[in-house]
């Protein structure tokens, strides 16, 4: 499943939101089209690399590598991003060598898993 959003290279008064469910690792591909101050596609220079990074509500951080296709970055949702429910800011970092040339801020929204893997199905055992 792919999810597409537009994010401005210029800081905005609101954060675009990436919505996923808890433990959706390797199921979702996130594609972020980066736009400039005029709403046009921002061309990412060929020598630039990109990562997706943030800090979850527990205080644990993550950094995920991205692929770049002209004006868009793409990454596969990893367990380190979506293994904890909550809403938290994150950013796409555009890096040229050692220098960060731009960031695109987003809000991650990870819905709680209503039926975790360790939940048992079936009848309850009687209390002894």
């Amino acid at each position: 499943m792919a999810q597409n959003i537009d994010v401005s290279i210029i800081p905005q008064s609101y954060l675009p939101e990436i919505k996923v469910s808890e433990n959706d690792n390797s199921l979702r591909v996130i594609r972020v089209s980066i736009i400039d101050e005029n709403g046009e596609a921002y061309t990412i220079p060929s020598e630039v690399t990109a990562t997706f990074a943030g800090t979850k509500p527990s205080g644990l951080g993550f950094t995920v590598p991205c692929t770049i296709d002209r004006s868009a970055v793409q990454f596969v949702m990893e367990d380190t991003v979506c293994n904890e429910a909550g809403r938290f800011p994150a950013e796409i970092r555009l890096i040229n060598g050692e220098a960060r040339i731009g960031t695109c801020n987003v809000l991650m929204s990870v819905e709680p898993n209503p039926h975790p893997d360790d939940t048992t199905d079936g009848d309850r055992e009687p209390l002894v």
Side-chain angles (χ1 to χ4, degrees):
M1 282 184 274
Q3 185 176 358
N4 300 293
I5 66 168
D6 291 341
V7 177
S8 178
I9 192 76
I10 305 299
Q12 302 293 305
S13 59
Y14 70 94
L15 295 178
E17 193 168 7
I18 297 174
K19 296 181 180 183
V20 297
S21 293
E22 191 174 19
N23 301 318
D24 269 359
N25 53 320
S26 302
L27 298 176
R28 294 186 189 270
V29 174
I30 309 297
R31 182 177 169 83
V32 180
S33 297
I34 300 177
I35 56 177
D36 65 17
E37 66 275 3
N38 300 317
E40 302 293 326
Y42 172 79
T43 302
I44 301 170
S46 61
E47 64 276 4
V48 168
T49 61
T51 58
F52 180 64
T55 303
K56 298 177 284 188
S58 65
L60 295 174
F62 61 86
T63 301
V64 178
C66 299
T67 58
I68 298 175
D69 180 18
R70 293 186 206 152
S71 64
V73 298
Q74 182 172 297
F75 61 94
V76 175
M77 187 58 57
E78 292 186 2
D79 189 49
T80 56
V81 179
C82 64
N83 63 354
E84 182 180 322
R87 296 179 81 203
F88 51 91
E91 66 184 2
I92 295 164
R93 298 174 177 166
L94 301 178
I95 304 161
N96 187 354
E98 296 293 318
R100 189 182 308 185
I101 64 168
T103 57
C104 302
N105 297 328
V106 298
L107 183 64
M108 279 296 306
S109 180
V110 182
E111 296 174 346
N113 183 348
H115 189 68
D117 290 341
D118 60 352
T119 304
T120 58
D121 290 334
D123 295 332
R124 288 184 164 202
E125 294 184 16
L127 296 175
V128 177

